[in-house]
Amino acid sequence: QDLPGFYLWGKYRASGLWNNIYLGKAGYGKHAKLYKRITEELGDERCFIWATVLTALQLNQIGKNSNPVMWHKQYYANFQRSMRKCGSTHIIWVPTPEVKKDEVGAVEADLIETLNPYANIKRPAPPDDLTQELQKHSNEIIGKMKRLIHDNRQDRFPIYIK
């Protein structure tokens, strides 16, 4: 997508129910495109994939050995964020060109409060004066995300050919 928007990492449980893991945004700052932002995030935070075959302790040690100086300055924080996304199996995204740059913070805060993704550590409270227009944006985004979650529920478990 060449549009700004919001994306949601998550997973389907064995029961078929969806779990929200992490909510992000793209196109409102230095990452101008939603698809590019998600692709970059998958590369930067690939530890969440490796965690399916290695322990967090092993991954931490590999990181320390590979980049000892930068590990303590910056990379360890990235590693921790990535590890909070473990278990994610899907990323859904919703383009939101109708949301203006000055509205993004309030809409994001409202989405995080409503969706309660457990990997989002920063949780600003939505403004007390959240306008009907901003609530409308949040509701529309949630509706689109829910539609994608429901539409993909049957395909939640990929079939592997051996």
Side-chain angles (χ1 to χ4, degrees):
Q1 289 283 354
D2 286 345
L3 299 170
F6 292 88
Y7 56 96
L8 183 64
W9 292 57
K11 67 179 177 182
Y12 293 96
R13 289 188 268 168
S15 65
L17 294 176
W18 174 263
N19 278 76
N20 297 322
I21 295 176
Y22 179 81
L23 179 90
K25 65 182 181 301
Y28 300 103
K30 64 180 183 173
H31 301 286
K33 296 181 174 140
L34 194 51
Y35 181 82
K36 182 178 179 187
R37 174 67 185 126
I38 293 169
T39 303
E40 181 180 310
E41 195 165 310
L42 284 169
D44 290 348
E45 300 187 8
R46 61 192 170 273
C47 283
F48 88 96
I49 296 170
W50 281 105
T52 61
V53 293
L54 298 172
T55 67
L57 190 61
Q58 290 170 316
L59 289 168
N60 184 37
Q61 193 60 49
I62 290 168
K64 274 197 242 183
N65 293 343
S66 299
N67 303 290
V69 174
M70 288 302 293
W71 189 254
H72 296 290
K73 289 184 178 180
Q74 175 186 358
Y75 294 168
Y76 184 67
N78 293 342
F79 168 74
Q80 289 179 307
R81 184 175 53 249
S82 178
M83 295 307 288
R84 287 191 299 271
K85 295 177 183 176
C86 285
S88 296
T89 58
H90 294 73
I91 302 172
I92 58 172
W93 67 84
V94 175
T96 56
E98 67 281 0
V99 178
K100 299 177 189 116
K101 282 188 180 189
D102 63 335
E103 299 172 329
V104 172
V107 171
E108 180 184 31
D110 195 35
L111 290 171
I112 290 171
E113 180 179 62
T114 302
L115 297 172
N116 195 27
Y118 63 79
N120 285 82
I121 300 299
K122 294 181 182 175
R123 293 179 171 264
D128 292 335
D129 61 344
L130 194 66
T131 65
Q132 285 186 340
E133 182 68 23
L134 294 180
Q135 286 178 340
K136 181 181 171 202
H137 289 322
S138 295
N139 290 337
E140 287 173 359
I141 293 165
I142 291 167
K144 290 175 184 177
M145 287 180 170
K146 286 181 65 106
R147 181 77 267 142
L148 289 167
I149 290 165
H150 292 306
D151 288 348
N152 289 291
R153 190 177 315 279
Q154 296 306 315
D155 298 325
R156 66 188 181 272
F157 302 113
I159 298 170
Y160 297 102
I161 299 172
K162 295 182 179 184

